[in-house]
Amino acid sequence: MVPAVCAAALLLTACGGEDGAADVPDGWGTLDTKSLSVGYPESRGYAEQPARERGRANAAVALKVEDGVRTGMVSVQLDFATGVSTAEEAATAAGAGIGLGTTRTATTDVRLAGEESAAQARRIDYTFTSSGEQHTPPAGTPMAGVLIAGVDSHGVPFVTRVNAVRGALSKAELDAFAESVTVK
C-alpha cells in the first residue's frame, strides 16, 4: 500500500526515506548545501564541480562534459533574490532568471521532502536553445531544463535547476531530479 500511495503522490510531493530525506535514485550523487540537497545523475556522466571552479552565485554544481562541451548541468543557488519570502516569489524571481528565449512548458506546485515549514516549492519546466558560449553545445542546440524554487526553513530563497541537451535525460530522469530535493 505504501508504494502505491507514494507512486500516486509523486506529482505533488517527494516521497522520502525514513529520515525524511527524498529518495535519490541508484547511481546518482547528491549535492549538499546549507539549504537543501539534490540528486544528480552521476551514472550518466555528471560530476560535482569543485568550489574553486564554479561561479560565485552557485552553492553547488554538477556538470556533464563531453569532448570539452558542457552538455548538462545541475546547479543550486541560495539567497539569489532580495525581498523573497514565499515559494511563489522565489519561482517568479528564478523564472525571470532563465532568460529571454526560453519557453515555459509547465509550472506546478510541488511539496519537497525535509523541513515541513519549507516543503512548499514550485517547479518550472522549460526549453531553450544553446547560445554556444562558454563551452556549451553549438548555438541553436535544443536544450531542456527544470527548476525547483522555494524558501528554506530559515527564510533563504533557493533555486536548483538541471539543464541538458534536449533528450539526453528522459522525462523520468527529469522527474527524479525534481523529486530528489530535500529542503532544510
Side-chain angles (χ1 to χ4, degrees):
M1 176 90 173
V2 171
V5 171
C6 197
L10 282 178
L11 292 177
L12 297 176
T13 184
C15 291
E18 290 179 23
D19 62 358
D23 290 330
V24 177
D26 289 339
W28 283 42
T30 303
L31 297 175
D32 192 36
T33 71
K34 65 182 181 179
S35 291
L36 63 90
S37 65
V38 62
Y40 65 91
E42 193 171 38
S43 62
R44 301 274 268 146
Y46 286 72
E48 190 166 355
Q49 185 181 39
R52 69 184 180 281
E53 294 177 17
R54 65 179 179 251
R56 286 188 341 208
N58 292 317
V61 174
L63 298 174
K64 181 173 183 176
V65 178
E66 299 175 274
D67 298 323
V69 176
R70 188 181 70 219
T71 59
M73 179 173 82
V74 174
S75 65
V76 177
Q77 292 179 327
L78 306 177
D79 210 10
F80 69 96
T82 58
V84 171
S85 61
T86 68
E88 183 176 348
E89 292 170 342
T92 298
I98 59 177
L100 297 174
T102 61
T103 301
R104 291 182 191 209
T105 57
T107 301
T108 54
D109 290 331
V110 294
R111 292 202 45 85
L112 304 177
E115 288 293 326
E116 184 61 31
S117 64
Q120 187 64 33
R122 189 161 278 178
R123 172 182 172 162
I124 300 173
D125 292 59
Y126 55 96
T127 60
F128 62 103
T129 56
S130 176
S131 67
E133 298 173 5
Q134 300 178 352
H135 306 288
T136 60
T141 301
M143 306 288 287
V146 172
L147 72 79
I148 306 294
V151 178
D152 75 8
S153 63
H154 300 287
V156 176
F158 66 82
V159 60
T160 185
R161 70 185 86 219
V162 60
N163 291 326
V165 171
R166 197 172 315 155
L169 294 175
S170 68
K171 180 178 179 341
E173 288 170 314
L174 293 173
D175 290 344
F177 159 77
E179 295 158 5
S180 74
V181 178
T182 300
V183 68
K184 300 175 185 175

